[in-house]
Amino acid sequence: DADVTQTPRNRITKTGKRIMLECSQTKGHDRMYWYRQDPGLGLRLIYYSFDVKDINKGEISDGYSVSRQAQAKFSLSLESAIPNQTALYFCATSPRGGGGTEAFFGQGTRLTVV
Amino acid sequence: KQEVTQIPAALSVPEGENLVLNCSFTDSAIYNLQWFRQDPGKGLTSLLLIQSSQREQTSGRLNASLDKSSGRSTLYIAASQPGDSATYLCAVTGLGNTGKLIFGQGTTLQVKP
């Protein structure tokens, strides 16, 4: 089993719908992140969390919200999906210990908003 | 604001060739630099992590170097194979103990048999 698991892997939704992407990890890491990837733009940070009570906005948080239900679970919600949120979404984890630690990524969720 | 650039955007080479992928960043105040591999439909796989105090890291046929003062890193792949075909991403972690990654756009590599 993967250390960082994202569900669903693929999703097509309609404009205006609420959708939740889920991430769970078995690595025991404190830190979790949500990124989105668009063609030609690389990955950009949406939200990150250092523990259940510590949630922080990233570079492109507008239109998104997150919930850290437990150390191992971090979900991303689109309250009212719009077509320009069509992208590949990645969850990542890293251990506590400063900036010099390695990040581990899930398989990604391909979201299409029509 | 930190910006990361990877050149070229795409590269096609014959099997067996040695090759270099380039990554540059605008702010030398980094904690580390990480190289990832991305296969179509799959997630990112970490290849090498170079701490800011290090000059290079090696894993098998891969060697990554870091010149923090000039804001550059290279990923050297020796004796390329068709299985090396993928998109390669570099990312830096800035100072501040957040672990946030700033990515380049990636280089898509095709190794032809």
Side-chain angles (χ1 to χ4, degrees):
Chain A
D1 290 339
D3 294 320
V4 184
T5 303
Q6 293 184 232
T7 55
R9 293 292 312 279
N10 291 281
R11 180 72 180 267
I12 300 174
T13 191
K14 293 183 177 180
T15 298
K17 292 291 187 181
R18 183 179 189 276
I19 184 170
M20 179 182 289
L21 309 182
E22 298 184 331
C23 177
S24 63
Q25 53 115 346
T26 58
K27 298 193 73 69
H29 291 166
D30 291 319
R31 300 179 173 195
M32 298 186 75
Y33 308 81
W34 277 104
Y35 293 87
R36 71 176 271 177
Q37 185 179 34
D38 298 277
L41 292 180
L43 279 78
R44 293 178 292 167
L45 181 64
I46 306 172
Y47 270 96
Y48 62 103
S49 169
F50 288 166
D51 65 38
V52 174
K53 296 181 180 180
D54 186 356
I55 305 291
N56 303 278
K57 292 183 178 180
E59 180 186 359
I60 51 165
S61 60
D62 288 348
Y64 301 95
S65 63
V66 292
S67 174
R68 185 83 182 265
Q69 300 94 329
Q71 188 210 31
K73 296 182 181 293
F74 192 37
S75 61
L76 175 72
S77 293
L78 287 67
E79 297 301 327
S80 179
I82 56 177
N84 76 0
Q85 291 178 313
T86 293
L88 188 54
Y89 290 85
F90 286 104
C91 174
T93 73
S94 68
R96 190 187 310 172
T101 53
E102 190 175 1
F104 297 86
F105 282 75
Q107 300 279 59
T109 294
R110 185 169 296 281
L111 176 65
T112 303
V113 183
V114 298
Chain B
K1 178 184 175 183
Q2 176 76 272
E3 293 183 359
V4 180
T5 303
Q6 292 185 246
I7 295 174
L11 181 65
S12 180
V13 300
E15 181 177 5
E17 192 163 298
N18 301 324
L19 59 100
V20 173
L21 306 181
N22 297 295
C23 174
S24 62
F25 47 96
T26 56
D27 186 348
S28 63
I30 63 170
Y31 252 111
N32 63 36
L33 184 144
Q34 202 165 348
W35 281 94
F36 294 89
R37 169 183 173 139
Q38 183 177 20
D39 293 284
K42 296 186 178 181
L44 279 66
T45 301
S46 178
L47 297 173
L48 290 164
L49 172 70
I50 310 177
Q51 304 291 354
S52 61
S53 59
Q54 297 175 321
R55 297 285 291 183
E56 65 179 330
Q57 282 286 345
T58 298
S59 176
R61 295 183 294 108
L62 305 180
N63 175 279
S65 68
L66 175 63
D67 184 343
K68 199 172 66 168
S69 61
S70 68
R72 294 183 181 183
S73 176
T74 61
L75 179 66
Y76 174 83
I77 302 177
S80 59
Q81 303 170 358
D84 294 329
S85 298
T87 296
Y88 291 81
L89 296 157
C90 74
V92 299
T93 303
L95 299 181
N97 195 27
T98 64
K100 296 188 292 184
L101 292 165
I102 301 169
F103 283 84
Q105 299 93 329
T107 294
T108 299
L109 171 66
Q110 182 183 29
V111 181
K112 297 180 179 178

